[in-house]
């Protein structure tokens, strides 16, 4: 009797059940891209966050696997906590508690295989705090090593070399996201960019704001105007998008390498 067939693909879902058990071990890392299907202004596709997370995670898995790390790419989670865009037609969102249950049940399923590590690669800011919660649940309930990370560290619109100055507030459908989609899927980007929509008053505050400012606040994207854009997509270009993508792949690859050797204590 021959052993299970092992395809060359690093995609979890491409294997049969017996093949997965044969191919994985306690050192394997289940890499889960997670994004969203949500309004991204009039110029970007609804699947922007899922597109970026999957592209970055897939490239990183391919890279680290070539170096000997046992990484496997799971199907992308696309429906997520996007209630900040609840008002915009096309957004497909679920409650945070529903997503948390899904992540826990996913971990329970992974725990039935030899795999003991899960790493979420996240393309949507609305998922961040929930993923932190899920990490601890997966550790406590199933003994998994669990991690979450952004799909990359984007290039900010800093006002240099033709980039718009987003004053640190370009968080949604602005320069960075528009540039990376121009690189990954230019056919999905509308030719006309929406007008600049940077929350200038918030940008001038010391403690309240986005991008690591310490005081958080409740908001929905319509609080900043009718386009759903928070940032400045003017000046976005595929060349900068390629740099953002490559930076994201570098970051996630380095993170997965650290995860491979991670130990408590």
């Amino acid at each position: 009797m021959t052993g299970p067939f092992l395809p060359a693909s690093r995609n979890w879902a491409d294997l049969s059940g017996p093949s997965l058990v044969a191919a994985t071990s306690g050192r394997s890392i289940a890499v889960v891209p997670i994004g969203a299907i949500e309004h991204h202004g009039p110029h970007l596709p609804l699947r922007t966050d899922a597109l970026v997370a999957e592209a970055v995670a897939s490239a990183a898995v391919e890279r680290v696997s070539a170096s000997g790390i046992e990484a496997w790419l799971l199907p992308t989670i696309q429906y997520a906590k996007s209630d900040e865009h609840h008002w915009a037609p096309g957004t497909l969102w679920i409650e945070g508690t529903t997503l948390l249950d899904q992540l826990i049940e996913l971990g329970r399923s992974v725990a039935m295989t030899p795999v003991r590590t899960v790493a979420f690669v996240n393309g949507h800011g609305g998922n961040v705090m929930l993923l932190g919660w899920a990490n601890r649940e997966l550790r406590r309930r199933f003994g998994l090593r669990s991690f979450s990370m952004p799909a990359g560290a984007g290039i900010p619109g800093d006002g240099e070399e033709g980039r718009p100055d987003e004053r640190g507030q370009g968080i949604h459908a602005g320069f960075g996201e528009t540039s990376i989609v121009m690189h990954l899927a230019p056919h999905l980007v509308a030719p006309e960019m929406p007008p600049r929509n940077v929350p200038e008053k918030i940008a001038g505050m010391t403690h309240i704001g986005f991008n690591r400012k310490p005081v958080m606040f409740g908001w929905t994207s319509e609080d900043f105007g009718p386009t759903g854009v928070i940032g400045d997509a003017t000046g976005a270009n595929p060349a900068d998008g390629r740099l953002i993508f490559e930076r994201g792949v570098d970051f996630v690859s380095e993170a997965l390498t650290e995860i491979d050797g991670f130990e408590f204590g």
Side-chain angles (χ1 to χ4, degrees):
M1 181 177 179
T2 61
F5 169 67
L6 297 178
S9 170
R10 302 302 299 185
N11 290 327
W12 179 286
D14 285 348
L15 278 71
S16 68
S19 295
L20 179 73
V21 172
T24 56
S25 72
R27 286 198 59 209
S28 298
I29 305 171
V31 180
V32 186
I34 179 170
I37 304 295
E38 63 179 28
H39 183 58
H40 271 80
H43 61 303
L44 291 180
L46 294 164
R47 67 183 179 100
T48 290
D49 292 343
L51 170 71
V52 172
E54 183 171 308
V56 170
S58 178
V61 165
E62 182 177 357
R63 180 183 298 180
V64 301
S65 296
S67 69
I69 293 174
E70 297 181 23
W72 296 90
L73 184 71
L74 272 67
T76 301
I77 298 174
Q78 302 200 58
Y79 305 131
K81 187 182 181 298
S82 298
D83 50 334
E84 65 268 43
H85 309 292
H86 72 281
W87 58 275
T91 299
L92 304 175
W93 64 281
I94 58 179
E95 295 284 357
T97 50
T98 304
L99 179 58
L100 180 63
D101 287 343
Q102 180 183 2
L103 297 175
I104 291 171
E105 290 165 8
L106 174 65
R108 181 179 60 199
S109 299
V110 170
M112 294 182 66
T113 75
V115 179
R116 310 314 303 159
T117 303
V118 177
F120 296 99
V121 178
N122 178 39
H124 170 52
N127 296 331
V128 172
M129 289 187 286
L130 202 67
L131 285 168
W133 187 356
N135 282 336
R136 183 159 294 166
E137 292 291 318
L138 298 184
R139 180 64 185 165
R140 177 177 60 83
R141 295 192 190 201
F142 312 117
L144 295 172
R145 301 189 313 164
S146 51
F147 304 84
S148 56
M149 68 195 79
I155 298 174
D158 56 10
E160 301 293 329
E161 300 181 4
R163 294 186 289 268
D165 184 1
E166 295 179 307
R167 303 191 64 193
Q169 305 303 298
I171 66 161
H172 189 71
F175 171 77
E177 281 192 313
T178 303
S179 293
I180 196 171
V181 179
M182 284 179 166
H183 167 64
L184 292 174
H187 62 289
L188 297 180
V189 183
E192 185 175 345
M193 294 297 104
R196 174 184 176 89
N197 189 42
V198 173
E200 302 289 348
K201 291 182 179 179
I202 293 176
M205 293 182 173
T206 301
H207 302 298
I208 302 173
F210 301 113
N211 290 330
R212 300 183 182 88
K213 285 189 176 178
V215 179
M216 297 182 292
F217 61 100
W219 58 275
T220 68
S221 56
E222 63 182 336
D223 290 331
F224 300 97
T227 67
V229 175
I230 307 173
D232 188 348
T234 62
N237 63 89
D240 276 321
R242 178 180 59 81
L243 293 176
I244 295 170
F245 173 72
E246 291 176 351
R247 180 178 293 183
V249 175
D250 289 345
F251 163 72
V252 173
S253 298
E254 291 168 7
L256 291 175
T257 301
E258 289 192 355
I259 288 169
D260 180 57
F262 178 82
E263 295 181 2
F264 291 97

